[in-house]
Structures are given as C-alpha cells and as structure tokens.
Amino acid sequence: MPHTLPLLLAALLALLCPCPKSLLQAADSRYVTYESFGAKGDGKENDLPAIRAAHQYANEHNLPVRGTPGAVYRVGAGEPAIIKTDTDFQNARFLIDDSHLTVKEGQVDVFRVESDTPPWEVTVPAPLPQGASNLGVVLPRRALVVLSNKNKKHFIRLGLNQNNGVPASDTILVEKDGAIHPSTPLLWDFPQITSAKAYSAEDRPIVIQNGLFTTLANRAESKYTYFSRGFQIRRSHVILENHTHVVTGEGPHGAPYAGFFSFRNCYNGILRNCRVSGHKTYSTIGSAGKPVAMGTYDLGAERAVQLVFQNVEQINSIHDTSNWGIMGTNFCRNLVLEGCTLSRFDAHQGVANVTIRNCVLGHAGVNLIGYGEVLLENTWVHSPWLMNLRGDYGSTWRGNLTVRNCVLAPPKHSGQGGILNGYNTGTHDFGYPCVMPDTITLQNLTILDKLPKGKLPLYFFAEFLQKGKKPGPIPYPRTRQILLEKVTTESGVPIALSPNPDFFSQTQILPLPRR
C-alpha cells in the first residue's frame, strides 16, 4: 500500500490541477525543475514566470530547485522569483535581458532570497547609551535589530554628491533575552529611538550554487535610477557559491547597477568561488549641479553583518579605470575579503571592522570610513595610496589600522601617493565627530615605487588640509602613533611624514614593540 500513495497523489493532482503535467512531475520528484512549470530554456522566450512559479512551489513544499544543464533561460521583465530553499542551477545559463527595460522594470530583482519569518517592529526603551549590553526587550528569536533616530542625521555628505544625511542608525545582533552580541556593540548613543526593526537570524543555511549569468546591459538615461537585476539576499545564513556574472552590450549611456549580488539586513552571508564583472562608468549631473561619475556595482551590501567574500574574482581587468570599482557597501559590520581579486573595496556610509586577507586590489584600492579594526594582510594594492579614508564622509576611522605582509604597487601614471589618503578641513559637519585612526601598524610592507617616469613622492599621510591653511572650528584628532617594522621602498627613498607635516606634528613614528 505505501508504494501506491505517490501514484494516487499524482492521479488526484492530474484530475484537480489546471496544469497536470507540471504538478504531476513536481509531485513525484525529490526536487523541482523550471521545465516542470513551463520554462523553455531555449534562450528566446521569457522564462521568468516559470522560474518564479517553480520556486513558489518549492517554497511551499520545502523542496530544492535544480536547473537543467545546457538550458538557456531568458529573463525579461517581471516580478522576482522568491528563493527559500536550496538551489542548484547545475551550470544552466541565464540571459538577463535589460536592454529594453524601463527604469521601473529594471528596479525589480530577478531573484530574492527571503526568510520564512517576516521582519517585525520592536519597541525599544530609550535612552540607549553607546556600549549598552542589553536592548531591554525580549525577542521571539535571535535577530538583527536596526535602530534609527530620525531626529539626528549622520553621513551628511560633502562634495559633488552632497546631501542632508540620513537618520542616525545602528545594526546589532541581539539574542532572545535582549543581550547585544559582543561582535556588534552599539556604536552610537540613542537618546531617542524612532524606529526599531528586527530581522530573523536563521540557523539553517540556504545554499544557492552553480549559475552562469549574462546581463544584456540597460540603455536607460545616465541618471541615479539604479537597476537591481540580480540576487537580493534578505535572509540570514545564505551561501552563494560557484557563480559567474558577465555584463555585455554596454552602450554610450545607461543607468547604474546597485549590485548583481547584494546582501541587505542579514547576518552570516557568504559569497565564494564566484566570478563577477566591473561595469562601465557613466556620468551625470550630481546634486551640486556639476558632472559626476556614477558608482555602479556588481557586489553590494547594506546593513549586512558578518559578511564574507571568499575567492571572488573579477573577470575584466582590475586596472581598467573606465570600469567603476566593483564593490559598494553601506552600514555593514565585520566584513571579510579572503582570496579575492577585485578593482576596489569600498565602504561608503560606515563599516565596523574589516579584514582583507590574501587579496589583490586594483586601481581603486581600499576606500572606507568607520569604526573598529582594519586588518590588511598578505595583500597587493595597485593604487597610489594603500588606503583612502573617504573625504566626502569626513575621512574618519574610530579605531586602528594594521597592515601586515603587504605590497603597494602604484600604477605607472601615479602622482602623489603613500599609506593613507584623506581630506578634512574641520569646516563641515558630517553629523558625527570625525577622527583619524589612533594607531597605524605597518609590518613587513613593500612599496614598488621605482617607476619609469621618476620616483613617486611617498608619504605616510596625504595633506588632509591644504598646506598653510588653518583647520576650521570642528575638531579633527590626528593619528597618535605609527608603529613600523620592516617597511621598504624599491627606490630606497624613505617615506616622508606628509606634504603638510605641520598638520601631523603630534604624530609619533616608532618601531613596533617586540612581543
């Protein structure tokens, strides 16, 4: 009798369902295929409705999804496919055709990975001081909690993309009893909390693997109307591995992309063994009324905590300045790059704790502002400066920088360069106190500065404030000390303090203490 149950179920489905072939095949499988729901896989018809239906069925029945080897699924306009179960594309190809999409159509994800538990509002008592150990509430499950205070603005941007800032916020990992996890301490005081939203931090992983994706680039106007036509990860504990994304058909104009692989409001995400593409740089008129290059990305993250990029390689040249730096993040914590080859690492509106290990970074280098510890280890950087503290957000880092066993290999056309670039005149209120790293540790650093057109001027610090000018009224504490052990230049010319040495007159340069 037990052996007849699947047949009886299939027969019943065949009688009741308007699509008997699809559900008959799906009901009698250990996994779901796109073809079961009408996908052609011929590269011609829009298979997105079938892809979406297949994942919906898989989610409802807790079944994995598999692509068909050799298939080419064309993806046109449509609502996203929601993924909640393991998915193996089996090296099937996805042709994502953005070439004739409207801006509205282009702002819809192709795949969205979601939790079974929707986010929920939390009432958090205020005030909540920086360093508090408990949120003061009990949660139904472990969660990421995003706190906001709309009455205080942070990240009031300076420059061609100037703005009025965003509400002060923080993203923390919170246990069921309200305890704030020590890996995500509160970064700010919250005298008021105008909103608090919780996102479930799942224990069970979802693995999505083995996809080959080609984007036919959009032809929209070159404006800040970001396209989002890839993976939007909105669930914790998601592993994306063994994927390739190629971009083709970029023309004389186009809207920027927010990231093909993008993580948002999630914990413990991994992107590994993937190949990604830098996008062509387009320009537009910025908020200051002047032309500005638009950031456009293949890798993106916003409010992601404990996010790891492992063995991620850029397909096109990491030295090609016509392509924008491949990565952009906002409000993230505990970011790790391991074994990656990318044109750029960039943390826009603050990052807390960064590890970059065994990597090669190209023309756009390492760009960041934020808090905590930065570790740059066993890494080559092919830009004029080893690190850049973003001047449009105040060139601030509340913590320390450590560089170990690294090589700075500036390009041949470089001008001034060295260890740390930045800009802060003390005249602009960014919404928070700005400060330089307290301690910079340089251990076994080699700088390949012997270039055909002469020696590169090497400095520990850029000017930060134009030489001869006095700082404005807003305090900007400088680095207290630089600790050195085996820092060498190919030219043999020693590293100078700064083109504006008076600005760093209180900074001590000392040998690294022996352990």
Side-chain angles (χ1 to χ4, degrees), residues 214-227:
T214 298
T215 293
L216 301 180
N218 77 77
R219 301 174 186 175
E221 287 187 75
S222 295
K223 295 182 178 180
Y224 280 115
T225 50
Y226 275 95
F227 273 51

Side-chain angles (χ1 to χ4, degrees), residues 51 91 161 199 424 464 508:
I51 292 169
N91 292 319
N161 282 321
Y199 301 83
N424 191 317
F464 280 78
Q508 291 185 298

Side-chain angles (χ1 to χ4, degrees), residues 332-375:
C332 291
R333 305 186 69 143
N334 306 333
L335 284 181
V336 177
L337 265 67
E338 175 71 45
C340 297
T341 301
L342 302 171
S343 61
R344 175 190 187 107
F345 171 87
D346 201 352
H348 291 68
Q349 295 176 91
V351 62
N353 302 322
V354 172
T355 298
I356 302 174
R357 183 183 289 118
N358 302 323
C359 292
V360 179
L361 297 173
H363 70 90
V366 178
N367 305 268
L368 70 169
I369 61 164
Y371 340 87
E373 301 296 321
V374 175
L375 173 62

Side-chain angles (χ1 to χ4, degrees), residues 177-448:
D177 64 358
I180 298 172
H181 197 276
S183 68
T184 59
L186 271 174
L187 299 171
W188 309 102
D189 288 320
F190 281 88
Q192 295 175 298
I193 297 173
T194 56
S195 71
K197 202 163 191 176
Y199 301 83
S200 177
E202 280 80 9
D203 294 322
R204 178 181 66 86
I206 287 179
V207 179
I208 303 169
Q209 58 186 332
N210 302 323
L212 303 173
F213 304 93
T214 298
T215 293
L216 301 180
N218 77 77
R219 301 174 186 175
E221 287 187 75
S222 295
K223 295 182 178 180
Y224 280 115
T225 50
Y226 275 95
F227 273 51
S228 178
R229 291 274 290 167
F231 285 85
Q232 185 72 239
I233 314 302
R234 296 186 178 180
R235 179 194 189 272
S236 293
H237 211 165
V238 174
I239 301 169
L240 289 163
E241 59 185 359
N242 301 325
H243 299 294
T244 297
H245 179 230
V246 176
V247 179
T248 188
E250 292 175 312
H253 55 82
Y257 283 86
F260 189 81
F261 299 106
S262 190
F263 295 79
R264 178 177 292 184
N265 299 324
C266 59
Y267 170 71
N268 195 17
I270 299 175
L271 182 76
R272 68 185 176 207
N273 300 331
C274 292
R275 302 175 74 224
V276 293
S277 295
H279 294 248
K280 181 178 178 179
T281 302
Y282 295 106
S283 64
T284 190
I285 302 300
S287 57
K290 297 181 180 180
V292 61
M294 293 187 295
T296 177
Y297 310 100
D298 228 31
L299 302 175
E302 186 162 321
R303 304 194 190 283
V305 174
Q306 196 57 46
L307 178 58
V308 178
F309 296 94
Q310 186 177 42
N311 299 328
V312 179
E313 179 183 2
Q314 186 168 327
I315 295 170
N316 41 10
S317 173
I318 65 172
H319 309 296
D320 185 353
T321 58
S322 69
N323 291 325
W324 190 261
I326 197 164
M327 178 183 191
T329 71
N330 292 300
F331 313 111
C332 291
R333 305 186 69 143
N334 306 333
L335 284 181
V336 177
L337 265 67
E338 175 71 45
C340 297
T341 301
L342 302 171
S343 61
R344 175 190 187 107
F345 171 87
D346 201 352
H348 291 68
Q349 295 176 91
V351 62
N353 302 322
V354 172
T355 298
I356 302 174
R357 183 183 289 118
N358 302 323
C359 292
V360 179
L361 297 173
H363 70 90
V366 178
N367 305 268
L368 70 169
I369 61 164
Y371 340 87
E373 301 296 321
V374 175
L375 173 62
L376 187 68
E377 187 172 36
N378 298 326
T379 290
W380 283 60
V381 178
H382 292 270
S383 66
W385 294 92
L386 190 66
M387 293 187 193
N388 175 50
L389 296 180
R390 293 183 57 127
D392 51 349
Y393 291 115
S395 293
T396 183
W397 188 266
R398 195 168 76 208
N400 303 308
L401 308 181
T402 299
V403 178
R404 189 180 299 134
N405 302 325
C406 291
V407 176
L408 174 62
K412 293 181 180 180
H413 61 272
S414 293
Q416 187 185 102
I419 307 303
L420 191 63
N421 188 33
Y423 178 75
N424 191 317
T425 64
T427 58
H428 181 80
D429 180 10
F430 294 93
Y432 41 74
C434 293
V435 59
M436 290 188 67
D438 178 76
T439 297
I440 300 174
T441 300
L442 304 174
Q443 186 177 18
N444 195 19
L445 170 66
T446 300
I447 303 178
L448 304 180

